[in-house]
Amino acid sequence: MAGVELRGIRKSYGHLQVVHGVDLDITDGEFIVLVGPSGCGKSTLLRMIAGLESISGGEIRIGPRTVNDVLPGDRDIAMVFQNYALYPQMTVAQNMGFSLKMRRVPHADILRQVREAAAILGLQDLLDRYPRQLSGGQRQRVAMGRAIVRNPSVFLFDEPLSNLDAKLRVQTRVEIKALHQRLRTTTVYVTHDQVEAMTMADRIVVMHDGRIEQVGTPLELYDRPANRFVAGFLGSPAMNFFDGGLGGADGSRFVLGNHAIPLPAGAERAAPRSVVLGVRPEHIVVDAQGVPAEVVVVEPTGSETQITARLGGQTFTAAMHKRLTAPPGSTLGFRIDPANIHLFDGETGARIP
Amino acid sequence: MTAATLDRPATSARLLSALQVVHWRNLPLMAGLCIAAILMLMPFLWMVGASLRPAGEAYRLPPSIIPREWTLAAYREALGSGIPFVQMYWNSLVVAALSTLGVLITASMAAFAFARLEFRGSTPLFLTMLGGLMVPPALTLIPLYFGFARLGLLDSLSALILPAMASSFGVYMMRQFMLSQPRELEEAALMDGASYWTIFWRISLPQLGPALAALGIITFTTSWNNYISPFVLIKSWDKMTLPAGIVALQGLMGAASVSVVMAAATMAILPLLLVFLVAQRFIIEGMTMSGLKQ
């Protein structure tokens, strides 16, 4: 096993730079999730670690070695692809043993290692089948089996669950997490799904436009997002943002139309001219004494109820673990707990304070 | 009765009428295609018909496809004409088979290089090769003649096989097909530690089945029908291929012997017909998957 170090990694296609000097330390045995919207550079970064994409600048170290010029097959890493990339003309066993065969491992050892990996993933009965004879979930497991059979230093996963249906995705997510807890192999996992990122990662790396926005544990990022982008990206339903300004005699209130929301003590000291207030849907509660807002739609999901409402021309969502009905157009009172308010600079989007 | 069961006849009726609409809308297209198919088939049917009737009946008016009198005399006459048809069959087969094998090997390897490997000068090289598509084959015959004369290969089957073993069209077609295939398989093999040769041989080539079949059939047909090259590059009768043999037969027999010539032509196209019947699925698949038309 080994850690991975990225130092000033850049990637350009001609004049177009898509990854802008990324620095990241991944410790040995860590499960890191790279998350971000489409086109943010996360897959490119993963492919550069894999050696499938050349780097335009910087240094990649896997363990003690700089691997900038090392071929993918010699980096001691294994990758699970989005569409699994199983060799269609080979059986499951041949697929899993292919990398060992390329390393001229004796046949008996290949058989043993393939059987061991198959046992870990429950693939024993599928070893003689061809990929076309497998379901999506089974193919996914074979792709993982092919990765673990070599016992590599680092696993790379490129959106491995995106081709599975919702139920299987949840199940496989748990399996991957359990597999990591068992093998403790350093893992870099790319996804655009923030729920996957939150549930699987030891640490999450949020990327946007080829740059790292924030690195931290899932709850650190959720509770203290470094900027408006991270705040809006993590969490479902997404964080609500209200544009407004600071008011009150000492600037300790956020003014939204005719309403003033008290801020946490000390927040006003660092506040610039324009401010965006962020609050997660679960931190807005229905309270008859609260600020009145017009109900737009009520969405019951069974375990919780989501209410979309309008206040001062801005729409927001509240989520609560109780059942509630209110006709569209009616008015409900809402209250925000000042302790759960996030403030962002209206211009830069950076967190305050 | 529930609403669902009440609804069923109405749904069936709607489906039926939808099918009828599609059917009637396609009718002109179907009719056009049928006419085109008949026009394509007529010369073939006439050829087979003419080969099975007595000499002299071929040009009878009004023309008919089906002979009044059936006979195999034209076939006996063609085979006994003194022109070595069996040898020519064999020559055509050797030339077509080796040319096809050669094109499949060179085109798939070059296509892999152009589609998957990054190397300096790849684009100019590819464009130069594409330029070869614009050179009419007849233009290369004289240089080929002098080249083979120097190599001492004139009047040998090698003179027909060697130039046909590489094809710009083949490389282009295979490259387009390869580009349409997902890269992940090759990348997975690269991560598994496979060499480029192993990736080509074990991973890429097995995926190229339909394209290889299509290119193989096109090359085999082109070689089988090649008429000019043998005339220029081959002198001896025992090295000639079938198209040249048929023309020689026509010269030998004169215009009255149309049944004999048609008998020889029918025999000549039989292998091609067989190849097409067996592999037409691959031709269509290969053509559509590579996004090419010929």
Side-chain angles (χ1 to χ4, degrees), chain A residues 47 73 81 85-87 89 99 102-103 146 150, chain B residues 184-185 187-192 194 202-203 206:
Chain A
R47 289 170 59 80
F81 290 82
L86 300 178
Y87 311 125
Q89 73 280 16
S99 62
M102 290 299 106
R103 284 167 177 72
R146 188 170 65 178
R150 280 162 48 183
Chain B
E184 280 88 346
L185 282 184
E187 289 178 343
L190 204 59
M191 307 253 347
D192 279 343
R202 301 278 312 266
I203 308 298

mmCIF file with all atom_site columns, all heavy atoms in Angstrom, chain A residues 47 73 81 85-87 89 99 102-103 146 150, chain B residues 184-185 187-192 194 202-203 206:
data_model
loop_
_atom_site.group_PDB
_atom_site.id
_atom_site.type_symbol
_atom_site.label_atom_id
_atom_site.label_alt_id
_atom_site.label_comp_id
_atom_site.label_asym_id
_atom_site.label_entity_id
_atom_site.label_seq_id
_atom_site.pdbx_PDB_ins_code
_atom_site.Cartn_x
_atom_site.Cartn_y
_atom_site.Cartn_z
_atom_site.occupancy
_atom_site.B_iso_or_equiv
_atom_site.pdbx_formal_charge
_atom_site.auth_seq_id
_atom_site.auth_comp_id
_atom_site.auth_asym_id
_atom_site.auth_atom_id
_atom_site.pdbx_PDB_model_num
ATOM 1   N N   . ARG A 1 47  ? -7.378  10.103  -14.168 1.00 0.00 ? 47  ARG A N   1
ATOM 2   C CA  . ARG A 1 47  ? -6.692  9.465   -15.300 1.00 0.00 ? 47  ARG A CA  1
ATOM 3   C C   . ARG A 1 47  ? -5.220  9.857   -15.336 1.00 0.00 ? 47  ARG A C   1
ATOM 4   O O   . ARG A 1 47  ? -4.388  9.092   -15.817 1.00 0.00 ? 47  ARG A O   1
ATOM 5   C CB  . ARG A 1 47  ? -7.398  9.841   -16.603 1.00 0.00 ? 47  ARG A CB  1
ATOM 6   C CG  . ARG A 1 47  ? -8.772  9.168   -16.754 1.00 0.00 ? 47  ARG A CG  1
ATOM 7   C CD  . ARG A 1 47  ? -9.559  9.736   -17.914 1.00 0.00 ? 47  ARG A CD  1
ATOM 8   N NE  . ARG A 1 47  ? -8.831  9.572   -19.162 1.00 0.00 ? 47  ARG A NE  1
ATOM 9   C CZ  . ARG A 1 47  ? -8.791  8.445   -19.867 1.00 0.00 ? 47  ARG A CZ  1
ATOM 10  N NH1 . ARG A 1 47  ? -9.462  7.400   -19.456 1.00 0.00 ? 47  ARG A NH1 1
ATOM 11  N NH2 . ARG A 1 47  ? -8.106  8.370   -20.984 1.00 0.00 ? 47  ARG A NH2 1
ATOM 12  N N   . GLY A 1 73  ? 0.789   0.437   -16.450 1.00 0.00 ? 73  GLY A N   1
ATOM 13  C CA  . GLY A 1 73  ? 0.922   -0.934  -15.968 1.00 0.00 ? 73  GLY A CA  1
ATOM 14  C C   . GLY A 1 73  ? 2.011   -1.115  -14.924 1.00 0.00 ? 73  GLY A C   1
ATOM 15  O O   . GLY A 1 73  ? 2.047   -2.124  -14.225 1.00 0.00 ? 73  GLY A O   1
ATOM 16  N N   . PHE A 1 81  ? -13.441 1.008   -14.158 1.00 0.00 ? 81  PHE A N   1
ATOM 17  C CA  . PHE A 1 81  ? -13.951 1.994   -15.107 1.00 0.00 ? 81  PHE A CA  1
ATOM 18  C C   . PHE A 1 81  ? -15.472 2.135   -14.973 1.00 0.00 ? 81  PHE A C   1
ATOM 19  O O   . PHE A 1 81  ? -16.160 1.234   -14.490 1.00 0.00 ? 81  PHE A O   1
ATOM 20  C CB  . PHE A 1 81  ? -13.608 1.578   -16.535 1.00 0.00 ? 81  PHE A CB  1
ATOM 21  C CG  . PHE A 1 81  ? -12.144 1.683   -16.850 1.00 0.00 ? 81  PHE A CG  1
ATOM 22  C CD1 . PHE A 1 81  ? -11.273 0.669   -16.489 1.00 0.00 ? 81  PHE A CD1 1
ATOM 23  C CD2 . PHE A 1 81  ? -11.636 2.788   -17.507 1.00 0.00 ? 81  PHE A CD2 1
ATOM 24  C CE1 . PHE A 1 81  ? -9.925  0.760   -16.777 1.00 0.00 ? 81  PHE A CE1 1
ATOM 25  C CE2 . PHE A 1 81  ? -10.292 2.887   -17.792 1.00 0.00 ? 81  PHE A CE2 1
ATOM 26  C CZ  . PHE A 1 81  ? -9.437  1.865   -17.426 1.00 0.00 ? 81  PHE A CZ  1
ATOM 27  N N   . ALA A 1 85  ? -15.417 -2.025  -18.485 1.00 0.00 ? 85  ALA A N   1
ATOM 28  C CA  . ALA A 1 85  ? -14.333 -2.405  -19.403 1.00 0.00 ? 85  ALA A CA  1
ATOM 29  C C   . ALA A 1 85  ? -13.891 -3.851  -19.208 1.00 0.00 ? 85  ALA A C   1
ATOM 30  O O   . ALA A 1 85  ? -12.702 -4.144  -19.117 1.00 0.00 ? 85  ALA A O   1
ATOM 31  C CB  . ALA A 1 85  ? -13.146 -1.444  -19.238 1.00 0.00 ? 85  ALA A CB  1
ATOM 32  N N   . LEU A 1 86  ? -14.863 -4.762  -19.148 1.00 0.00 ? 86  LEU A N   1
ATOM 33  C CA  . LEU A 1 86  ? -14.511 -6.184  -19.075 1.00 0.00 ? 86  LEU A CA  1
ATOM 34  C C   . LEU A 1 86  ? -14.240 -6.680  -20.490 1.00 0.00 ? 86  LEU A C   1
ATOM 35  O O   . LEU A 1 86  ? -14.963 -6.316  -21.421 1.00 0.00 ? 86  LEU A O   1
ATOM 36  C CB  . LEU A 1 86  ? -15.657 -6.982  -18.453 1.00 0.00 ? 86  LEU A CB  1
ATOM 37  C CG  . LEU A 1 86  ? -16.050 -6.571  -17.038 1.00 0.00 ? 86  LEU A CG  1
ATOM 38  C CD1 . LEU A 1 86  ? -17.223 -7.412  -16.550 1.00 0.00 ? 86  LEU A CD1 1
ATOM 39  C CD2 . LEU A 1 86  ? -14.872 -6.715  -16.085 1.00 0.00 ? 86  LEU A CD2 1
ATOM 40  N N   . TYR A 1 87  ? -13.216 -7.519  -20.641 1.00 0.00 ? 87  TYR A N   1
ATOM 41  C CA  . TYR A 1 87  ? -12.879 -8.017  -21.975 1.00 0.00 ? 87  TYR A CA  1
ATOM 42  C C   . TYR A 1 87  ? -13.976 -8.992  -22.409 1.00 0.00 ? 87  TYR A C   1
ATOM 43  O O   . TYR A 1 87  ? -14.164 -10.031 -21.775 1.00 0.00 ? 87  TYR A O   1
ATOM 44  C CB  . TYR A 1 87  ? -11.519 -8.707  -21.959 1.00 0.00 ? 87  TYR A CB  1
ATOM 45  C CG  . TYR A 1 87  ? -10.448 -7.879  -21.290 1.00 0.00 ? 87  TYR A CG  1
ATOM 46  C CD1 . TYR A 1 87  ? -9.698  -8.366  -20.230 1.00 0.00 ? 87  TYR A CD1 1
ATOM 47  C CD2 . TYR A 1 87  ? -10.197 -6.570  -21.715 1.00 0.00 ? 87  TYR A CD2 1
ATOM 48  C CE1 . TYR A 1 87  ? -8.726  -7.595  -19.612 1.00 0.00 ? 87  TYR A CE1 1
ATOM 49  C CE2 . TYR A 1 87  ? -9.231  -5.792  -21.096 1.00 0.00 ? 87  TYR A CE2 1
ATOM 50  C CZ  . TYR A 1 87  ? -8.502  -6.309  -20.045 1.00 0.00 ? 87  TYR A CZ  1
ATOM 51  O OH  . TYR A 1 87  ? -7.561  -5.538  -19.432 1.00 0.00 ? 87  TYR A OH  1
ATOM 52  N N   . GLN A 1 89  ? -14.422 -11.106 -24.774 1.00 0.00 ? 89  GLN A N   1
ATOM 53  C CA  . GLN A 1 89  ? -14.115 -12.449 -25.294 1.00 0.00 ? 89  GLN A CA  1
ATOM 54  C C   . GLN A 1 89  ? -13.485 -13.344 -24.233 1.00 0.00 ? 89  GLN A C   1
ATOM 55  O O   . GLN A 1 89  ? -13.110 -14.470 -24.521 1.00 0.00 ? 89  GLN A O   1
ATOM 56  C CB  . GLN A 1 89  ? -13.211 -12.337 -26.534 1.00 0.00 ? 89  GLN A CB  1
ATOM 57  C CG  . GLN A 1 89  ? -11.773 -11.949 -26.263 1.00 0.00 ? 89  GLN A CG  1
ATOM 58  C CD  . GLN A 1 89  ? -11.586 -10.444 -26.053 1.00 0.00 ? 89  GLN A CD  1
ATOM 59  O OE1 . GLN A 1 89  ? -12.539 -9.727  -25.821 1.00 0.00 ? 89  GLN A OE1 1
ATOM 60  N NE2 . GLN A 1 89  ? -10.349 -9.985  -26.106 1.00 0.00 ? 89  GLN A NE2 1
ATOM 61  N N   . SER A 1 99  ? -4.296  -9.503  -15.673 1.00 0.00 ? 99  SER A N   1
ATOM 62  C CA  . SER A 1 99  ? -3.154  -8.690  -15.246 1.00 0.00 ? 99  SER A CA  1
ATOM 63  C C   . SER A 1 99  ? -2.039  -9.573  -14.679 1.00 0.00 ? 99  SER A C   1
ATOM 64  O O   . SER A 1 99  ? -0.857  -9.290  -14.847 1.00 0.00 ? 99  SER A O   1
ATOM 65  C CB  . SER A 1 99  ? -3.597  -7.664  -14.204 1.00 0.00 ? 99  SER A CB  1
ATOM 66  O OG  . SER A 1 99  ? -4.101  -8.335  -13.066 1.00 0.00 ? 99  SER A OG  1
ATOM 67  N N   . MET A 1 102 ? -0.203  -11.121 -17.533 1.00 0.00 ? 102 MET A N   1
ATOM 68  C CA  . MET A 1 102 ? 0.717   -10.161 -18.141 1.00 0.00 ? 102 MET A CA  1
ATOM 69  C C   . MET A 1 102 ? 2.007   -10.042 -17.330 1.00 0.00 ? 102 MET A C   1
ATOM 70  O O   . MET A 1 102 ? 3.048   -9.692  -17.855 1.00 0.00 ? 102 MET A O   1
ATOM 71  C CB  . MET A 1 102 ? 0.057   -8.771  -18.236 1.00 0.00 ? 102 MET A CB  1
ATOM 72  C CG  . MET A 1 102 ? -1.066  -8.659  -19.228 1.00 0.00 ? 102 MET A CG  1
ATOM 73  S SD  . MET A 1 102 ? -0.538  -8.989  -20.909 1.00 0.00 ? 102 MET A SD  1
ATOM 74  C CE  . MET A 1 102 ? -1.234  -10.606 -21.193 1.00 0.00 ? 102 MET A CE  1
ATOM 75  N N   . ARG A 1 103 ? 1.908   -10.320 -16.036 1.00 0.00 ? 103 ARG A N   1
ATOM 76  C CA  . ARG A 1 103 ? 3.103   -10.267 -15.174 1.00 0.00 ? 103 ARG A CA  1
ATOM 77  C C   . ARG A 1 103 ? 3.782   -11.621 -15.075 1.00 0.00 ? 103 ARG A C   1
ATOM 78  O O   . ARG A 1 103 ? 4.630   -11.820 -14.222 1.00 0.00 ? 103 ARG A O   1
ATOM 79  C CB  . ARG A 1 103 ? 2.699   -9.768  -13.777 1.00 0.00 ? 103 ARG A CB  1
ATOM 80  C CG  . ARG A 1 103 ? 2.459   -8.286  -13.760 1.00 0.00 ? 103 ARG A CG  1
ATOM 81  C CD  . ARG A 1 103 ? 1.763   -7.809  -12.505 1.00 0.00 ? 103 ARG A CD  1
ATOM 82  N NE  . ARG A 1 103 ? 1.640   -6.362  -12.548 1.00 0.00 ? 103 ARG A NE  1
ATOM 83  C CZ  . ARG A 1 103 ? 0.806   -5.693  -13.354 1.00 0.00 ? 103 ARG A CZ  1
ATOM 84  N NH1 . ARG A 1 103 ? 0.019   -6.360  -14.160 1.00 0.00 ? 103 ARG A NH1 1
ATOM 85  N NH2 . ARG A 1 103 ? 0.776   -4.374  -13.364 1.00 0.00 ? 103 ARG A NH2 1
ATOM 86  N N   . ARG A 1 146 ? -11.318 -7.800  -10.648 1.00 0.00 ? 146 ARG A N   1
ATOM 87  C CA  . ARG A 1 146 ? -10.138 -7.663  -11.499 1.00 0.00 ? 146 ARG A CA  1
ATOM 88  C C   . ARG A 1 146 ? -9.138  -6.688  -10.869 1.00 0.00 ? 146 ARG A C   1
ATOM 89  O O   . ARG A 1 146 ? -7.930  -6.833  -11.013 1.00 0.00 ? 146 ARG A O   1
ATOM 90  C CB  . ARG A 1 146 ? -10.566 -7.156  -12.883 1.00 0.00 ? 146 ARG A CB  1
ATOM 91  C CG  . ARG A 1 146 ? -9.459  -7.156  -13.876 1.00 0.00 ? 146 ARG A CG  1
ATOM 92  C CD  . ARG A 1 146 ? -9.954  -6.886  -15.261 1.00 0.00 ? 146 ARG A CD  1
ATOM 93  N NE  . ARG A 1 146 ? -10.509 -5.542  -15.386 1.00 0.00 ? 146 ARG A NE  1
ATOM 94  C CZ  . ARG A 1 146 ? -10.976 -5.037  -16.527 1.00 0.00 ? 146 ARG A CZ  1
ATOM 95  N NH1 . ARG A 1 146 ? -10.979 -5.786  -17.608 1.00 0.00 ? 146 ARG A NH1 1
ATOM 96  N NH2 . ARG A 1 146 ? -11.458 -3.830  -16.587 1.00 0.00 ? 146 ARG A NH2 1
ATOM 97  N N   . ARG A 1 150 ? -4.886  -8.235  -8.035  1.00 0.00 ? 150 ARG A N   1
ATOM 98  C CA  . ARG A 1 150 ? -3.453  -7.914  -8.131  1.00 0.00 ? 150 ARG A CA  1
ATOM 99  C C   . ARG A 1 150 ? -2.888  -7.390  -6.828  1.00 0.00 ? 150 ARG A C   1
ATOM 100 O O   . ARG A 1 150 ? -1.693  -7.157  -6.718  1.00 0.00 ? 150 ARG A O   1
ATOM 101 C CB  . ARG A 1 150 ? -3.267  -6.802  -9.166  1.00 0.00 ? 150 ARG A CB  1
ATOM 102 C CG  . ARG A 1 150 ? -3.291  -7.284  -10.554 1.00 0.00 ? 150 ARG A CG  1
ATOM 103 C CD  . ARG A 1 150 ? -3.548  -6.129  -11.469 1.00 0.00 ? 150 ARG A CD  1
ATOM 104 N NE  . ARG A 1 150 ? -2.689  -4.969  -11.161 1.00 0.00 ? 150 ARG A NE  1
ATOM 105 C CZ  . ARG A 1 150 ? -2.779  -3.834  -11.796 1.00 0.00 ? 150 ARG A CZ  1
ATOM 106 N NH1 . ARG A 1 150 ? -3.692  -3.672  -12.730 1.00 0.00 ? 150 ARG A NH1 1
ATOM 107 N NH2 . ARG A 1 150 ? -1.977  -2.845  -11.493 1.00 0.00 ? 150 ARG A NH2 1
ATOM 108 N N   . GLU B 2 184 ? -11.966 2.263   -23.325 1.00 0.00 ? 184 GLU B N   1
ATOM 109 C CA  . GLU B 2 184 ? -11.738 1.762   -21.976 1.00 0.00 ? 184 GLU B CA  1
ATOM 110 C C   . GLU B 2 184 ? -11.118 0.365   -21.948 1.00 0.00 ? 184 GLU B C   1
ATOM 111 O O   . GLU B 2 184 ? -10.302 0.068   -21.079 1.00 0.00 ? 184 GLU B O   1
ATOM 112 C CB  . GLU B 2 184 ? -13.027 1.753   -21.158 1.00 0.00 ? 184 GLU B CB  1
ATOM 113 C CG  . GLU B 2 184 ? -13.407 3.104   -20.597 1.00 0.00 ? 184 GLU B CG  1
ATOM 114 C CD  . GLU B 2 184 ? -14.244 3.895   -21.557 1.00 0.00 ? 184 GLU B CD  1
ATOM 115 O OE1 . GLU B 2 184 ? -14.297 3.512   -22.753 1.00 0.00 ? 184 GLU B OE1 1
ATOM 116 O OE2 . GLU B 2 184 ? -14.830 4.909   -21.152 1.00 0.00 ? 184 GLU B OE2 1
ATOM 117 N N   . LEU B 2 185 ? -11.527 -0.485  -22.911 1.00 0.00 ? 185 LEU B N   1
ATOM 118 C CA  . LEU B 2 185 ? -10.990 -1.845  -22.898 1.00 0.00 ? 185 LEU B CA  1
ATOM 119 C C   . LEU B 2 185 ? -9.476  -1.816  -23.049 1.00 0.00 ? 185 LEU B C   1
ATOM 120 O O   . LEU B 2 185 ? -8.747  -2.514  -22.344 1.00 0.00 ? 185 LEU B O   1
ATOM 121 C CB  . LEU B 2 185 ? -11.594 -2.667  -24.039 1.00 0.00 ? 185 LEU B CB  1
ATOM 122 C CG  . LEU B 2 185 ? -12.999 -3.190  -23.840 1.00 0.00 ? 185 LEU B CG  1
ATOM 123 C CD1 . LEU B 2 185 ? -13.408 -4.052  -25.011 1.00 0.00 ? 185 LEU B CD1 1
ATOM 124 C CD2 . LEU B 2 185 ? -13.099 -3.989  -22.555 1.00 0.00 ? 185 LEU B CD2 1
ATOM 125 N N   . GLU B 2 187 ? -7.552  0.745   -22.431 1.00 0.00 ? 187 GLU B N   1
ATOM 126 C CA  . GLU B 2 187 ? -6.962  1.393   -21.257 1.00 0.00 ? 187 GLU B CA  1
ATOM 127 C C   . GLU B 2 187 ? -6.882  0.413   -20.088 1.00 0.00 ? 187 GLU B C   1
ATOM 128 O O   . GLU B 2 187 ? -5.900  0.398   -19.343 1.00 0.00 ? 187 GLU B O   1
ATOM 129 C CB  . GLU B 2 187 ? -7.784  2.619   -20.879 1.00 0.00 ? 187 GLU B CB  1
ATOM 130 C CG  . GLU B 2 187 ? -7.618  3.739   -21.885 1.00 0.00 ? 187 GLU B CG  1
ATOM 131 C CD  . GLU B 2 187 ? -8.449  4.968   -21.578 1.00 0.00 ? 187 GLU B CD  1
ATOM 132 O OE1 . GLU B 2 187 ? -9.397  4.869   -20.772 1.00 0.00 ? 187 GLU B OE1 1
ATOM 133 O OE2 . GLU B 2 187 ? -8.170  6.023   -22.151 1.00 0.00 ? 187 GLU B OE2 1
ATOM 134 N N   . ALA B 2 188 ? -7.928  -0.413  -19.949 1.00 0.00 ? 188 ALA B N   1
ATOM 135 C CA  . ALA B 2 188 ? -7.911  -1.413  -18.879 1.00 0.00 ? 188 ALA B CA  1
ATOM 136 C C   . ALA B 2 188 ? -6.745  -2.371  -19.094 1.00 0.00 ? 188 ALA B C   1
ATOM 137 O O   . ALA B 2 188 ? -6.033  -2.735  -18.145 1.00 0.00 ? 188 ALA B O   1
ATOM 138 C CB  . ALA B 2 188 ? -9.230  -2.175  -18.853 1.00 0.00 ? 188 ALA B CB  1
ATOM 139 N N   . ALA B 2 189 ? -6.516  -2.759  -20.357 1.00 0.00 ? 189 ALA B N   1
ATOM 140 C CA  . ALA B 2 189 ? -5.416  -3.671  -20.647 1.00 0.00 ? 189 ALA B CA  1
ATOM 141 C C   . ALA B 2 189 ? -4.073  -2.998  -20.364 1.00 0.00 ? 189 ALA B C   1
ATOM 142 O O   . ALA B 2 189 ? -3.137  -3.620  -19.859 1.00 0.00 ? 189 ALA B O   1
ATOM 143 C CB  . ALA B 2 189 ? -5.488  -4.122  -22.099 1.00 0.00 ? 189 ALA B CB  1
ATOM 144 N N   . LEU B 2 190 ? -3.997  -1.703  -20.673 1.00 0.00 ? 190 LEU B N   1
ATOM 145 C CA  . LEU B 2 190 ? -2.772  -0.944  -20.403 1.00 0.00 ? 190 LEU B CA  1
ATOM 146 C C   . LEU B 2 190 ? -2.484  -0.935  -18.901 1.00 0.00 ? 190 LEU B C   1
ATOM 147 O O   . LEU B 2 190 ? -1.354  -1.110  -18.450 1.00 0.00 ? 190 LEU B O   1
ATOM 148 C CB  . LEU B 2 190 ? -2.957  0.484   -20.925 1.00 0.00 ? 190 LEU B CB  1
ATOM 149 C CG  . LEU B 2 190 ? -1.724  1.288   -21.273 1.00 0.00 ? 190 LEU B CG  1
ATOM 150 C CD1 . LEU B 2 190 ? -0.912  0.599   -22.344 1.00 0.00 ? 190 LEU B CD1 1
ATOM 151 C CD2 . LEU B 2 190 ? -2.119  2.682   -21.762 1.00 0.00 ? 190 LEU B CD2 1
ATOM 152 N N   . MET B 2 191 ? -3.549  -0.736  -18.109 1.00 0.00 ? 191 MET B N   1
ATOM 153 C CA  . MET B 2 191 ? -3.393  -0.740  -16.650 1.00 0.00 ? 191 MET B CA  1
ATOM 154 C C   . MET B 2 191 ? -3.028  -2.137  -16.142 1.00 0.00 ? 191 MET B C   1
ATOM 155 O O   . MET B 2 191 ? -2.379  -2.276  -15.121 1.00 0.00 ? 191 MET B O   1
ATOM 156 C CB  . MET B 2 191 ? -4.682  -0.284  -15.956 1.00 0.00 ? 191 MET B CB  1
ATOM 157 C CG  . MET B 2 191 ? -5.217  1.010   -16.440 1.00 0.00 ? 191 MET B CG  1
ATOM 158 S SD  . MET B 2 191 ? -5.043  2.435   -15.382 1.00 0.00 ? 191 MET B SD  1
ATOM 159 C CE  . MET B 2 191 ? -4.589  1.918   -13.835 1.00 0.00 ? 191 MET B CE  1
ATOM 160 N N   . ASP B 2 192 ? -3.514  -3.161  -16.875 1.00 0.00 ? 192 ASP B N   1
ATOM 161 C CA  . ASP B 2 192 ? -3.197  -4.535  -16.484 1.00 0.00 ? 192 ASP B CA  1
ATOM 162 C C   . ASP B 2 192 ? -1.769  -4.912  -16.869 1.00 0.00 ? 192 ASP B C   1
ATOM 163 O O   . ASP B 2 192 ? -1.340  -6.037  -16.607 1.00 0.00 ? 192 ASP B O   1
ATOM 164 C CB  . ASP B 2 192 ? -4.178  -5.513  -17.156 1.00 0.00 ? 192 ASP B CB  1
ATOM 165 C CG  . ASP B 2 192 ? -5.497  -5.590  -16.404 1.00 0.00 ? 192 ASP B CG  1
ATOM 166 O OD1 . ASP B 2 192 ? -5.538  -5.160  -15.243 1.00 0.00 ? 192 ASP B OD1 1
ATOM 167 O OD2 . ASP B 2 192 ? -6.492  -6.087  -16.976 1.00 0.00 ? 192 ASP B OD2 1
ATOM 168 N N   . ALA B 2 194 ? -0.439  -4.804  -20.083 1.00 0.00 ? 194 ALA B N   1
ATOM 169 C CA  . ALA B 2 194 ? -0.275  -5.401  -21.409 1.00 0.00 ? 194 ALA B CA  1
ATOM 170 C C   . ALA B 2 194 ? 0.562   -4.482  -22.300 1.00 0.00 ? 194 ALA B C   1
ATOM 171 O O   . ALA B 2 194 ? 0.494   -3.262  -22.177 1.00 0.00 ? 194 ALA B O   1
ATOM 172 C CB  . ALA B 2 194 ? -1.649  -5.625  -22.038 1.00 0.00 ? 194 ALA B CB  1
ATOM 173 N N   . ARG B 2 202 ? -4.834  -9.132  -28.491 1.00 0.00 ? 202 ARG B N   1
ATOM 174 C CA  . ARG B 2 202 ? -5.752  -9.815  -27.579 1.00 0.00 ? 202 ARG B CA  1
ATOM 175 C C   . ARG B 2 202 ? -7.026  -9.016  -27.301 1.00 0.00 ? 202 ARG B C   1
ATOM 176 O O   . ARG B 2 202 ? -8.052  -9.575  -26.951 1.00 0.00 ? 202 ARG B O   1
ATOM 177 C CB  . ARG B 2 202 ? -5.068  -10.089 -26.221 1.00 0.00 ? 202 ARG B CB  1
ATOM 178 C CG  . ARG B 2 202 ? -3.816  -10.944 -26.281 1.00 0.00 ? 202 ARG B CG  1
ATOM 179 C CD  . ARG B 2 202 ? -4.136  -12.431 -26.339 1.00 0.00 ? 202 ARG B CD  1
ATOM 180 N NE  . ARG B 2 202 ? -5.102  -12.869 -25.351 1.00 0.00 ? 202 ARG B NE  1
ATOM 181 C CZ  . ARG B 2 202 ? -4.796  -13.359 -24.163 1.00 0.00 ? 202 ARG B CZ  1
ATOM 182 N NH1 . ARG B 2 202 ? -3.540  -13.440 -23.796 1.00 0.00 ? 202 ARG B NH1 1
ATOM 183 N NH2 . ARG B 2 202 ? -5.744  -13.777 -23.348 1.00 0.00 ? 202 ARG B NH2 1
ATOM 184 N N   . ILE B 2 203 ? -6.948  -7.683  -27.400 1.00 0.00 ? 203 ILE B N   1
ATOM 185 C CA  . ILE B 2 203 ? -8.094  -6.862  -26.987 1.00 0.00 ? 203 ILE B CA  1
ATOM 186 C C   . ILE B 2 203 ? -8.778  -6.191  -28.185 1.00 0.00 ? 203 ILE B C   1
ATOM 187 O O   . ILE B 2 203 ? -9.985  -6.317  -28.364 1.00 0.00 ? 203 ILE B O   1
ATOM 188 C CB  . ILE B 2 203 ? -7.657  -5.782  -25.967 1.00 0.00 ? 203 ILE B CB  1
ATOM 189 C CG1 . ILE B 2 203 ? -6.878  -6.408  -24.804 1.00 0.00 ? 203 ILE B CG1 1
ATOM 190 C CG2 . ILE B 2 203 ? -8.852  -4.990  -25.468 1.00 0.00 ? 203 ILE B CG2 1
ATOM 191 C CD1 . ILE B 2 203 ? -7.629  -7.403  -23.968 1.00 0.00 ? 203 ILE B CD1 1
ATOM 192 N N   . PRO B 2 206 ? -10.096 -8.766  -31.509 1.00 0.00 ? 206 PRO B N   1
ATOM 193 C CA  . PRO B 2 206 ? -11.349 -9.526  -31.357 1.00 0.00 ? 206 PRO B CA  1
ATOM 194 C C   . PRO B 2 206 ? -12.604 -8.658  -31.451 1.00 0.00 ? 206 PRO B C   1
ATOM 195 O O   . PRO B 2 206 ? -13.671 -9.150  -31.772 1.00 0.00 ? 206 PRO B O   1
ATOM 196 C CB  . PRO B 2 206 ? -11.225 -10.126 -29.952 1.00 0.00 ? 206 PRO B CB  1
ATOM 197 C CG  . PRO B 2 206 ? -9.774  -10.179 -29.673 1.00 0.00 ? 206 PRO B CG  1
ATOM 198 C CD  . PRO B 2 206 ? -9.193  -8.990  -30.367 1.00 0.00 ? 206 PRO B CD  1
#
